[in-house]
Amino acid sequence: MNADKGRVLVTGGAGFIGSHTCLALVGAGWTPIILDNFCNSSPTAIKRVSELVQRELVLVEGDIRDTDLCEKTLKDHSCEAVIHFAGLKAVGESHEKPLDYYDANVLGSHSLLRAMSAASVNRFIFSSSATVYGVPQSLPLTEDHPLAPTNPYGQTKLAVENLLRDVAQSGQGLQCAILRYFNPVGADVSTRIGEDPRGIPNNLMPYIAQVAVGRRPHLNVMGNDYDTPDGTGVRDYIHVVDLAEAHVKALERLVSHDGSFTVNLGTGTGYSVLDMVRGFEKACGKTIPYEIAKRRAGDVASMYADPALAETLLGWRASRGIDEMCRDHWNWQSANPNGYDTPVETPA
Ligand code: NAD
Ligand code: WQD
């Protein structure tokens, strides 16, 4: 293990991407200080990361909207930076509960920035999303593509991006890395941490994985009449461990260089829904039953990143392909059929 490079507040560190990033941070010599309210995660995730790194990680149970708690945590642990994952992320739910989404995502980020200002912490890494681009006008998506989110969740991400750009330009010393993730999938090879959605998964990979493990009878393929090679939607799936490693690179870039930046985190390769089904079948050795369903409202035919800027700025590019994504996702799901601590369900 590397020498201690410093402490980093990781909000939402018990979640899917946060838990993998905590593992990558420790591997690179950083100490994560985790703040999470467990509204979409389990403390077991942190227990397991602690076991993997053979060190008890600091975990503060609380909400990012509690500015005093954020300030105290930053000061108590002399944090040098913040990696901000905490927030709500379900596109469909954001149409039903926009107030909750603006509250958690926008007011939550504002609260955290206030706390950072009070604690004189100036480096901020933000989980943004490819959803800020809206309907692609050209592909691959470059960072200068117009920003036009089509759902409240995406609007909250864009609002925080704008807030960060304004604060960074105000001369108060904030340096920020805005990271626009494409479609994170997979899990750590240990099979100890992974994606554990509550209820019916919204996203493709966890849904396929739950079909493979017998929790759901079949996948609904939402549309096979798109203008894509096989008619199903094409996305840029990225292995969560590649994504986690990019956060370490972004942090180290903020430490070694002045200024702020915005980068896509994707692989640059698009795969269709049926490509992912076939990849998963290969990984698990089972047939994934599926039915063709109608298109999901708000979906686009194809979305994939131009990942060149991330390579130039961070010296990072995704190295894990579809086989590793499916293998690691399957190994996690089959070793933890009901996630971290969810009760056993009978198939629907
Ligand atoms: P996740 O739900 O697994 O993790 C989010 C974590 O934040 C959870 O542990 C949750 O309990 C915590 N949290 C939520 N609101 C909080 C609050 N108010 N105070 C404290 N903790 C709170 O989600 P994830 O997939 O790991 O995503 C992490 C971030 O990346 C999110 O901001 C999400 O919007 C963004 N993102 C995710 C994806 C994706 O497909 N997974 C894609 C693009 C961007
Ligand atoms: C992928 C493809 C679906 C489920 C979402 C958010 C985005 C980002 C990542 C947070 C599409 C198809 C899906 C299913 C299916 N999250 N599909 N059957 O929509 O690209 O992105 O997650 O920031 O903001 O919008 O990902 O995994 O939901 O869908 O056929 O049961 O799989 O139509 O073509 P998406 P997804």
Side-chain angles (χ1 to χ4, degrees):
M1 205 141 304
N2 295 316
D4 190 12
K5 291 182 180 165
R7 273 159 264 171
V8 184
L9 177 66
V10 181
T11 74
F16 172 43
I17 306 168
S19 56
H20 287 83
T21 301
C22 288
L23 193 55
L25 284 166
V26 176
W30 294 91
T31 300
I33 306 294
I34 298 148
L35 182 99
D36 204 300
N37 68 0
F38 303 117
C39 70
N40 196 39
S41 58
S42 164
T44 308
I46 298 307
K47 199 167 144 261
R48 291 192 181 182
V49 176
S50 293
E51 283 164 13
L52 288 170
V53 300
Q54 298 178 312
R55 182 184 341 157
E56 195 67 31
L57 296 182
V58 175
L59 171 60
V60 177
E61 182 168 356
D63 198 294
I64 50 168
R65 289 161 291 192
D66 182 342
T67 312
D68 292 342
L69 176 69
C70 293
E71 181 184 338
K72 180 172 173 357
T73 307
L74 288 166
K75 285 181 172 164
D76 284 354
H77 298 281
S78 308
C79 293
E80 292 181 24
V82 174
I83 306 184
H84 178 36
F85 294 106
L88 303 179
K89 63 164 183 176
V91 170
E93 186 185 58
S94 78
H95 284 288
E96 290 152 27
K97 301 178 179 172
L99 288 174
D100 289 354
Y101 273 69
Y102 277 81
D103 199 310
N105 294 0
V106 181
L107 301 184
S109 299
H110 180 270
S111 161
L112 194 53
L113 288 162
R114 276 266 186 243
M116 288 173 64
S117 173
S120 303
V121 177
N122 289 321
R123 299 185 185 107
F124 192 79
I125 298 179
F126 177 57
S127 298
S128 190
S129 168
T131 199
V132 296
Y133 294 119
V135 179
Q137 295 176 13
S138 55
L139 288 169
L141 286 155
T142 49
E143 288 80 357
D144 59 1
H145 182 283
L147 304 177
T150 57
N151 55 70
Y153 164 71
Q155 294 289 5
T156 67
K157 289 291 175 189
L158 181 54
V160 177
E161 284 201 7
N162 287 333
L163 170 62
L164 289 173
R165 283 187 276 266
D166 285 343
V167 180
Q169 282 164 18
S170 70
Q172 291 170 35
L174 182 77
Q175 275 183 280
C176 47
I178 295 173
L179 307 181
R180 294 183 182 147
Y181 314 153
F182 280 68
N183 293 61
V185 297
D188 184 62
V189 285
S190 66
T191 77
R192 298 297 289 157
I193 57 172
E195 187 169 14
D196 181 18
R198 296 195 169 167
I200 301 171
N202 297 307
N203 297 117
L204 179 65
M205 274 293 260
Y207 205 108
I208 294 178
Q210 291 194 6
V211 172
V213 86
R215 283 172 66 178
R216 317 235 164 240
H218 65 267
L219 170 72
N220 291 304
V221 174
M222 290 159 172
N224 68 346
D225 55 354
Y226 285 106
D227 183 16
T228 61
D230 66 17
T232 67
V234 167
R235 297 290 184 276
D236 187 339
Y237 298 92
I238 174 168
H239 198 296
V240 66
V241 176
D242 278 322
L243 198 61
E245 289 168 358
H247 288 73
V248 176
K249 296 281 191 182
L251 172 63
E252 296 186 345
R253 167 93 196 183
L254 288 181
V255 171
S256 63
H257 292 72
D258 287 336
S260 297
F261 57 89
T262 301
V263 289
N264 287 335
L265 295 180
T267 65
T269 302
Y271 289 109
S272 73
V273 174
L274 295 180
D275 288 334
M276 297 310 283
V277 168
R278 279 188 291 269
F280 214 93
E281 287 180 337
K282 190 171 143 198
C284 71
K286 302 180 189 193
T287 300
I288 306 291
Y290 67 83
E291 292 180 5
I292 304 298
K294 65 178 174 29
R295 290 181 178 195
R296 188 171 62 180
D299 271 0
V300 299
S302 296
M303 254 192 134
Y304 47 91
D306 181 336
L309 185 61
E311 183 157 14
T312 306
L313 277 182
L314 307 179
W316 168 93
R317 67 187 297 179
S319 65
R320 296 162 179 86
I322 184 172
D323 288 346
E324 284 156 293
M325 295 180 207
C326 293
R327 180 199 67 194
D328 296 343
H329 208 115
W330 168 243
N331 287 342
W332 149 255
Q333 187 72 76
S334 55
N336 306 270
N338 295 293
Y340 286 112
D341 38 22
T342 46
V344 176
E345 274 178 45
T346 45

